[in-house]
Amino acid sequence: MSKDSQKPFYITTTLPYVNAEPHIGFAMEIIRADIIARAKKLAGYDVFFNTGTDEHGIKIFRKAKDLGIDTQAYVDGLAQKYKELHKVLNILPEANFIRTTDVHHKMAAQAFWTKVAENGYIYKKEYSIKYCVGCELEKTESELVEGKCPLHPLQELEIIQEENYFFKASAFSDKLIALYESNPTFVVPEFRFNEIKSLLKQEGLKDFSISRLASKMPWGVPVPGDDAQVMYVWFDALVDYISAIGWPDDEVQGTKQAGSFKKWWVDTGGVVQYCGKDNLRQQAAMWQSMLMAAGLPPSKTIIINGFITGEGGLKMSKSLGNTVDPLDLVKEFGTDALRYYVVHDLSPFEDSPFTHEKFKESYNAGLANGIGNLTSRIMKMAANAGVSYADHAGEAKDFHSFSYNPHYDEFNIQRVCQDIWKDIRGLDAYIQKEQPFKKIKEDAEAGKKDIAYLLSHLLRIAVQLEPILPETSAKVQQLVREGKMPEQPLFARK
């Protein structure tokens, strides 16, 4: 099937903020997005998968200054580490990687600003707010706990008092509510959707500052027509979802719709966006109102992840210093072990605790004693009995094409994983019940038939694992198709 005849699908992660090394929270997000992208590709879609790095703002400017490093050099180094993470996590090699310091993105951010301003939704005023540098967001009294940001309790709030540009977000509260009511799956899961709907109905959407004085914080995209101001990091970074697909060069113009923006945004009904629960307001309300102000269609679906929590139930975060390095887990257990843990053990939408002990237990139970042991048992029986999958391949040709699990459309990859491991346990139970390794001694044909059945179903499981554990899937498929015994365990017990 040619790409021209395939239905397009666009998915993106948020862009991680490069003020520290990559951590397991972002690894979780990009792995989940990668699995959805892979599943859609296998289902016949033409997929555009976007990720990258968010590189402007006061946190980054101050961090580079504290380290005595040029700010551009600082973000260059960290952006490279996030890019290298793709290979470590076995992310689709064709995934797009955008940086908000890219020349095209900065041009797109300025074009977006200009369009919103021309439409009458940007104005300038003096103001004073409490500001959390950790969130890069204004904080109201109702959002604080004992005067602190609950997400960054170790950081003192700052008072910003200056003249900046504001975005007239308040003009879009009713339109956002109408958008929510017309699209019941706009935010997944439903309880997060109810949160943002309740917030808008109770408080409405408030205007927010979208620039900073360049004299105080020069690290940002210059405001068009006013070099004394730079764009607020959120207003700049959110535009990456459309700058990544060619906007404004390929924007819809009148009745002539052409280019990648039309293909990936207009024709798809918008992007599918993954983000954490601390991004709910920014992605589901702020960004959507910005799109409306620019006269552009909204996103399609926003999937909200829970947090990975550490000791004491605290969110893992760079500011608290309680993060887990995904590189360390991959070095010890392997890439597919981390991908499995993210899908099987972490709730798709709620907070989930992480400990090294839990990770190890999951690895041994699901991988070493699960798919790894099952593969070794079946391939050993097949080798001893001289049973080859090739002898039965013709009978099961359609059986082993990728079957798209409907839970992918609910973004509940954990349910997909549970379905696959239910089949793995089913094959283990079949071996236990039928005992083909004994049966073949008494009735060779019946024993070989059982082993052929096991080979066929093992291959089916391997094919279904392609989006989740691509490396393991490829190994098991090769073993079955070529009739080989594993030279070493797929997953050695730890």
Side-chain angles (χ1 to χ4, degrees), residues 42 389 396-404 459-460 463-464 466 481:
L42 288 167
Y389 169 74
K397 185 176 180 181
D398 294 335
F399 186 55
H400 297 130
S401 60
F402 178 73
S403 177
Y404 186 82
L459 183 58
R460 178 179 61 83
V463 172
Q464 298 312 306
E466 278 194 48
R481 295 182 194 280

Side-chain angles (χ1 to χ4, degrees), residues 462-474:
V463 172
Q464 298 312 306
L465 278 174
E466 278 194 48
I468 299 173
L469 308 181
E471 184 178 344
T472 300
S473 170

Side-chain angles (χ1 to χ4, degrees), residues 2-155:
S2 69
K3 284 188 176 292
D4 290 341
S5 62
Q6 290 177 301
K7 187 175 180 179
F9 177 79
Y10 177 21
I11 187 167
T12 185
T13 67
T14 49
L15 302 191
Y17 202 58
V18 292
N19 63 322
E21 305 281 333
H23 65 87
I24 194 171
F26 178 65
M28 174 183 72
E29 182 174 317
I30 196 172
I31 286 170
R32 287 175 173 170
D34 180 71
I35 290 169
I36 297 293
R38 286 176 180 272
K40 287 290 186 180
K41 278 192 68 176
L42 288 167
Y45 285 78
D46 184 10
V47 174
F48 186 88
F49 177 20
N50 182 56
T51 184
T53 45
D54 180 0
E55 301 180 17
H56 290 124
I58 196 166
K59 276 194 295 187
I60 287 172
F61 177 69
R62 288 179 178 175
K63 184 74 173 181
K65 189 175 181 181
D66 290 345
L67 294 172
I69 302 172
D70 174 75
T71 312
Q72 186 64 58
Y74 173 72
V75 297
D76 285 347
L78 278 170
Q80 184 60 31
K81 290 184 178 181
Y82 277 90
K83 196 167 187 178
E84 290 169 356
L85 189 65
H86 283 211
K87 186 174 182 180
V88 172
L89 301 180
N90 200 1
I91 303 304
L92 279 169
E94 65 266 31
N96 185 62
F97 190 90
I98 186 172
R99 299 177 57 185
T100 57
T101 54
D102 290 341
V103 172
H104 178 266
H105 172 76
K106 290 191 284 187
M107 178 275 293
Q110 290 179 319
F112 188 88
W113 176 291
T114 299
K115 182 173 281 287
V116 173
E118 288 174 348
N119 290 342
Y121 295 109
I122 293 178
Y123 63 96
K124 200 174 188 182
K125 75 168 187 177
E126 290 187 4
Y127 73 111
S128 177
I129 59 166
K130 290 182 178 179
Y131 190 77
C132 174
V133 175
C135 294
E136 294 273 16
L137 287 170
E138 173 186 350
K139 295 293 175 179
T140 62
E141 290 299 328
S142 63
E143 294 175 291
L144 304 179
V145 176
E146 297 181 353
K148 303 276 189 177
C149 168
L151 297 179
H152 301 92
L154 303 182
Q155 294 187 10

